Each structure stands twice: as C-alpha cells, then as structure tokens.
Amino acid sequence: MKPTQPGPAPPGAKPHKAASGRYILRLYVAGLMPKSTLAIANIKKICEEHLQGQYGLEVIDLYQQPQLAQRDQIVAVPVLIKNLPPPLRRIIGDMSDTELVLVGLDLPNKA
C-alpha cells in the first residue's frame, strides 16, 4: 500500500488548522490493557501541558476497529501517530517518557 498525497485544495477552501500550528494526533490502543490505558492518560496530560488545546487527538481501539490497523500500517500498540504538522512521526509505547514524546512531536520541553 503506497501512501497518498492530498490533492490540491478546492477553490475558496480554508487552510487546514495544522497550518496555524495545530497538531493532529492518532493514538492506537488495544482495549483496556494496562499499557493502553496508561498511554491514553499520559498523552492527554502531555497534550494539555504542552499544546494547551492546540491539538486534535483521536484514540482508536483496535479491538473495536481492527481494520484501521492496516490503514496506518500498525504493527505494535500503543502507538501515537503525529499526522500534522509534518513530518509524520510514530511513537511506540505507553507515552510515559515525556521527553521522548516531546522530541517525537517536535516540541520543546517547558520543564
């Protein structure tokens, strides 16, 4: 499966919010497994502390929607995918290493 590039925007279309610094994130988890629930709590905390509402976070439970694993070529969970702003990044694990997550998101550590 080849990644596809978005086509040109239709005339009069507004720029995507990511162009103004908005982060679009997708977290894949496996049900209520301990690492999955920890990853959800950790990424929400990191986003609230470092992105202050300038993000969209979609949590996808692969037990509920297994077909979505193929779309983003998921081979391990939990995994966080940063779709926007570019470049696309993947961070695997329970998101407990805040510094690693911040580096993966291209964010400076405010601590």
Side-chain angles (χ1 to χ4, degrees), residues 9 13 15 23 25 28 31-32 37 39 41-44 46 48 50 53 57 59 65 67 69 78 84 86 93 98-99:
Y23 281 71
L25 308 171
Y28 284 91
L32 297 176
T37 55
N42 286 336
I43 196 59
K44 284 182 178 180
I46 290 168
E48 285 303 313
H50 296 273
L57 175 63
V59 177
Q65 299 176 298
Q67 71 280 5
L84 292 171
T98 302
E99 185 64 33

Side-chain angles (χ1 to χ4, degrees), residues 52-64:
Q52 291 122 8
Q54 296 300 308
Y55 68 95
L57 175 63
E58 179 182 10
V59 177
I60 298 172
D61 182 347
L62 291 179
Y63 287 161
Q64 301 287 325

Side-chain angles (χ1 to χ4, degrees), residues 1-19:
M1 172 187 269
K2 283 180 97 177
T4 58
Q5 297 294 326
K14 293 182 181 178
H16 195 280
K17 288 186 178 183

Side-chain angles (χ1 to χ4, degrees), residues 5 10-11 13 16 24 31 47 55 70 90-91 97 101 106-107:
Q5 297 294 326
H16 195 280
I24 306 299
C47 287
Y55 68 95
Q70 185 177 11
R90 294 171 183 257
I91 305 165
D97 186 340
V101 174
D106 298 319
L107 290 172

Side-chain angles (χ1 to χ4, degrees), residues 59-95:
V59 177
I60 298 172
D61 182 347
L62 291 179
Y63 287 161
Q64 301 287 325
Q65 299 176 298
Q67 71 280 5
L68 296 182
Q70 185 177 11
R71 176 185 74 185
D72 280 333
Q73 301 172 350
I74 303 303
V75 295
V77 289
V79 62
L80 179 70
I81 297 178
K82 178 186 81 150
N83 287 312
L84 292 171
L88 183 128
R89 295 276 174 88
R90 294 171 183 257
I91 305 165
I92 298 171
D94 63 14
M95 309 300 140

